[in-house]
Amino acid sequence: MTLSAVLLVTAVVWAVSVIRSVRLRALVYSLPLPMTLALVSTDYRVDGAQLLGVLGLNLFFVTVAVTYQRLRWPILLADGAGIAVYVGLSAGLLAVPVPFEPALAGMLALWLVAMLLLRRRARPPETTEASTEGRPDGLPALLKLVVIFVGAVLTSLFGELLRGMVVTFPYSGVLVAVEARRQLHDFSRHFARNSLALVGFLTAYHYVQHVSPAVALGAGWVAFGLIAAALHLPLRRRRRAAEPPPAAEPPPSAPVGDQQVWVQVSPDAARKPRGQRALTGRRRPGPRFE
C-alpha cells in the first residue's frame, strides 16, 4: 500500500480512539475508505470473493472478541488469531472461483440470520448504555499517534500478500480491535449491522466497474450512504418511542386563609365517612400581611 493508504488507516484508527460511543465507532470504522484506496491503487476487480471478504471482517472481530474476552488471551495474540482466520478464509476463497450472485444471496441470508440472533441475545438497555462509555488507555496523544502509524505500516505490508482479498483486509481493524478491546462485544454487534452497507458498496461497484473505476466508486459510495442511513434512522425513532412519558403535573392547590394547602386523601381515609376523612399534605407559605 502507498503512504496515503497508511495515513488513511492511521486517521481512521485515530478517529476511533477519540470517539467514545461504540455505535459511532463502528460506523466510522465501517466507512469504506480503505476499500476505496485499495481499489484505486490496484487493478483488482470486485467479484464474489471480495464480497465474502465482508464476512471475513466480521469473523475477524468475532475471533478477537472470543479469544480476548472469553479465553483471556492478550489483545495482540487475539488480534493474531483474528488475522489467521481472515487469511485462512481468503486462501480458500482465492483457490476457487466464487460467482457474484450466489455470494450476494448468501451474504444477505447470513446477515438476516445474524440480525435475528443478535436481537434475541441483545443485552438490557442499562448494560448496553453503560458499556458505550470508553475509557482512556493512558497513552499520551503523540505517543498513541506514533504507535498507530507504525501499526498501520506493518498491517499494510502484510495485507499486500493477500492479492485480491487485499480489498477487504482489516487494515484499520487490527488496531481498532486494540482501541475497542473493552467493548468488543458491542462493537462486533454494531459492525455486523453496518456490514449490510459494505455489501451494498461492493455490489454497486461490481455492477458499474465495467464503465470506469471513478463511476463505480461513486455508485458504491451512494449505495453505502443510502443503506447506512436506512439502518440508523429507525434507531432514532425507536429511542424516541422508548423515552419515558413526561412527569405528571402536581394537583391544584386549594386556598385556605392566607396559606395554600396541597390536599391528598389517603386510600384508607377515602373509604371512611366524609366527616372522618384524614387529609394529608404539606403547607405552602402564602403571602404575609403586616
Side-chain angles (χ1 to χ4, degrees):
M1 296 288 286
T2 61
L3 178 60
S4 59
V6 173
L7 294 177
L8 178 61
V9 171
T10 303
V12 172
V13 180
W14 175 261
V16 170
S17 69
V18 173
I19 299 173
R20 294 306 174 210
S21 169
V22 180
R23 184 173 63 88
L24 291 179
R25 282 186 167 195
L27 179 60
V28 170
Y29 174 73
S30 301
L31 295 174
L33 295 171
M35 290 186 185
T36 300
L37 272 184
L39 291 171
V40 168
S41 59
T42 63
D43 57 352
Y44 292 118
R45 297 175 63 86
V46 173
D47 54 20
Q50 282 73 36
L51 189 63
L52 292 179
V54 179
L55 174 62
L57 289 176
N58 284 277
L59 291 177
F60 167 81
F61 281 108
V62 170
T63 302
V64 176
V66 170
T67 53
Y68 177 71
Q69 294 183 334
R70 294 190 178 182
L71 301 182
R72 303 300 181 183
W73 289 16
I75 186 60
L76 295 181
L77 289 180
D79 251 342
I83 293 175
V85 169
Y86 183 88
V87 171
L89 176 67
S90 300
L93 293 176
L94 293 175
V96 295
V98 181
F100 188 85
E101 282 73 17
L104 177 60
M107 284 296 299
L108 294 178
L110 287 174
W111 186 84
L112 289 175
V113 171
M115 292 303 101
L116 292 176
L117 293 177
L118 290 175
R119 179 172 296 181
R120 289 184 177 181
R121 300 180 60 183
R123 296 181 178 182
E126 296 82 4
T127 305
T128 302
E129 291 298 327
S131 65
T132 57
E133 294 298 327
R135 290 177 290 179
D137 53 13
L139 288 178
L142 184 58
L143 178 59
K144 178 183 287 189
L145 186 61
V146 173
V147 171
I148 291 174
F149 178 79
V150 174
V153 173
L154 297 177
T155 307
S156 300
L157 293 176
F158 184 81
E160 291 181 350
L161 303 176
L162 296 176
R163 295 183 292 165
M165 296 304 292
V166 72
V167 174
T168 53
F169 181 74
Y171 293 105
S172 55
V174 175
L175 302 174
V176 166
V178 178
E179 287 292 331
R181 58 189 178 275
R182 299 185 182 94
Q183 309 158 318
L184 280 174
H185 179 274
D186 292 334
F187 185 90
S188 302
R189 178 169 54 87
H190 287 294
F191 177 71
R193 188 165 174 265
N194 295 333
S195 296
L196 185 63
L198 292 178
V199 172
F201 172 85
L202 293 174
T203 301
Y205 188 96
H206 170 78
Y207 285 112
V208 189
Q209 62 185 344
H210 65 278
V211 178
S212 72
V215 175
L217 286 174
W221 274 96
V222 169
F224 176 88
L226 292 176
I227 296 176
L231 289 174
H232 286 272
L233 286 180
L235 184 61
R236 292 184 177 181
R237 296 176 183 174
R238 288 197 299 269
R239 284 185 174 180
R240 291 177 181 177
E243 290 180 355
E249 296 182 358
S253 58
V256 179
D258 62 344
Q259 296 181 341
Q260 291 180 338
V261 179
W262 295 90
V263 180
Q264 178 181 358
V265 180
S266 64
D268 295 335
R271 291 190 289 269
K272 295 181 180 180
R274 183 173 182 180
Q276 300 178 3
R277 291 182 181 177
L279 301 181
T280 61
R282 57 187 178 87
R283 292 180 175 273
R284 173 184 293 178
R288 299 179 62 182
F289 302 95
E290 296 180 356

